[in-house]
Amino acid sequence: IGPAIAGLLITAVGTAAPFGVNALSCLIAAIAIFCWRPQTNKVSTLPPEPLVGSIATGLRHAANNRALKATLLRAAAFFLCASAFWSLLPLIARSFPGSDSRLYGLLLASVGIGAVGGALLLPGLRKRYGSNRLALAASGLLALVLLTLALSPNRYAAIAASLAGGLAWITTMVNLNLSAQSALPDWVRARGLALFLMVFSGSMTVGSLLWGQVAQATSIPQALVVAAVVLLLPLGWLGRVRIGQGEGLDLSPALAWEKPVVAPTLGDALDRGPVMVTIDYVIDPAEEQAFLTTLHELSASRYGDGAHQWGVYQDAAEPARWTEWFLLPSWAEHLRQHERTSQAGEDVNAAARSFHRGGDRPVVRHLLAPNRGRNS
């Protein structure tokens, strides 16, 4: 509703009014956040993650989260082109003969009304068509909006296009946001959404600069046409990069790993590291390829939950024996990995274990690097 309120204020009061109201709304939000005391359900006894390490862990998780990567790619492609709509809208309003700030306010209000209407329709549309198809349709609709604004000299057509633009904007924004949230487990959701916001803001910033330069070098209509074409061309390929992939995944903590044993003589090993975890499997040679395929799928979960290196090796003397290994920066980080592993990741882990033919379970070992504080 922000653009609608801004448009009404510009039309009724003047161009300064939205800035004052927006400043006041930010102040109210800041006070609300300051006073907010949310309930916490923290059950971990581990110390907080180091800042730099937590950032690196978040980036590794994002790099190995297929659903989030698809969402970020679709967001970058859409917002880079959609920025032409927002950045050039004031110039479009000014291009009509006899126009003033009131026309711009009317266009903004139309965008807001379209967004509010779209928000009301979205739940039913998502249930019927799914988030991926809706987002693709919204991209196509926004491309038509850009073409209408470029090719029609009629201000009423511009108002109608702004309504449709608001609908396309809110449809894409909501579906991308939901796709990002559903792709992220609780422990890394804030870091993943920070990446999503960075892609959103960065694409809007770069796009605004780009389309402004194109409009200056050519014209406003030509810049809008180019933005529409760039938005439409990759839609067939982007349709295969599906958003909403995380909606069917169970990302709740599995809490299925047994607590690792630490010898009493080692004392508090939380700061020891790096840590190597090895898992020994005995595999039927006929199932070797299927096992390795499952294990490489599992590697994304290992990286995503905190590991910074991963590998698998075959025993030269006994080819049926395979060892999976991964490294973590510290013992505390490995204990966090126990808490982070999702049910979806544990399902893949169980599938890998199902190939084991030597005993009840694969043999797991935890290896600590030498304590640097000791004399050699």
Side-chain angles (χ1 to χ4, degrees):
I1 64 174
I5 295 174
L8 293 173
L9 287 172
I10 290 173
T11 304
V13 183
T15 53
F19 293 95
V21 173
N22 196 44
L24 180 61
S25 69
C26 290
L27 180 62
I28 294 172
I31 294 172
I33 293 171
F34 180 78
C35 297
W36 184 32
R37 296 293 181 268
Q39 291 183 342
T40 57
N41 297 315
K42 185 177 180 180
V43 294
S44 176
T45 58
L46 296 172
E49 294 181 67
L51 177 61
V52 175
S54 67
I55 294 173
T57 300
L59 291 174
R60 276 197 301 272
H61 179 90
N64 291 277
N65 187 322
R66 185 183 307 169
L68 180 62
K69 287 193 293 184
T71 303
L72 295 179
L73 178 60
R74 290 282 295 274
F78 176 80
F79 292 125
L80 185 67
C81 298
S83 60
F85 176 70
W86 289 105
S87 59
L88 298 179
L89 192 61
L91 301 179
I92 294 168
R94 196 174 65 179
S95 67
F96 291 105
S99 63
D100 54 20
S101 61
R102 285 178 295 182
L103 177 59
Y104 178 54
L106 188 57
L107 294 179
L108 274 183
S110 300
V111 173
I113 293 169
V116 171
L120 295 175
L121 294 173
L122 264 179
L125 292 174
R126 287 189 76 248
K127 185 179 294 185
R128 184 171 183 178
Y129 298 108
S131 57
N132 190 60
R133 292 171 65 185
L134 266 184
L136 289 172
S139 294
L141 177 59
L142 187 65
L144 292 177
V145 167
L146 295 174
L147 290 173
T148 300
L149 292 173
L151 304 177
S152 175
N154 189 305
R155 64 178 63 199
Y156 297 107
I159 292 171
S162 297
L163 280 166
L167 173 62
W169 177 264
I170 197 66
T171 299
T172 308
M173 191 73 183
V174 167
N175 282 295
L176 287 173
N177 210 312
L178 290 174
S179 177
Q181 296 217 33
S182 65
L184 293 161
D186 289 344
W187 69 269
V188 77
R189 179 167 287 122
R191 281 168 275 186
L193 291 179
L195 279 174
F196 175 76
L197 290 174
M198 186 175 70
V199 169
F200 163 66
S201 300
S203 300
M204 290 290 290
T205 301
V206 172
S208 296
L209 291 169
L210 171 65
W211 304 121
Q213 293 300 314
V214 172
Q216 185 172 2
T218 56
S219 66
I220 297 171
Q222 287 183 359
L224 292 169
V225 169
V226 172
V229 171
V230 174
L231 185 60
L232 281 174
L233 282 180
L235 279 187
W237 173 74
L238 286 175
R240 295 193 292 270
V241 185
R242 295 182 62 256
I243 66 171
Q245 296 180 32
E247 293 178 8
L249 299 178
D250 184 358
L251 300 180
S252 60
L255 301 176
W257 291 9
E258 297 178 2
K259 187 175 181 180
V261 177
V262 180
T265 55
L266 292 179
D268 185 4
L270 288 180
D271 60 346
R272 289 281 297 272
V275 175
M276 173 181 279
V277 180
T278 66
I279 307 171
D280 296 332
Y281 304 87
V282 177
I283 304 301
D284 184 340
E287 298 178 322
E288 183 178 296
Q289 192 55 52
F291 166 71
L292 290 175
T293 299
T294 304
L295 212 57
H296 280 88
E297 183 181 352
L298 179 60
S299 68
S301 177
R302 305 293 198 211
Y303 279 119
D305 293 335
H308 57 79
Q309 289 187 51
W310 177 91
V312 57
Y313 287 93
Q314 185 177 26
D315 192 317
E318 298 182 57
R321 293 188 176 276
W322 292 81
T323 298
E324 178 197 6
W325 63 271
F326 49 91
L327 293 178
L328 298 106
S330 68
W331 186 248
E333 190 67 10
H334 177 56
L335 294 180
R336 292 189 187 99
Q337 187 183 32
H338 278 243
E339 298 176 350
R340 293 167 178 164
T341 302
S342 68
Q343 188 58 57
E346 184 57 27
D347 289 343
V348 183
N349 195 13
R353 289 198 305 267
S354 69
F355 289 97
H356 179 62
R357 299 292 179 260
D360 293 336
R361 294 172 67 90
V363 178
V364 181
R365 293 184 177 88
H366 300 86
L367 309 176
L368 297 171
N371 192 334
R372 296 175 183 176
R374 295 180 178 178
N375 293 326
S376 58

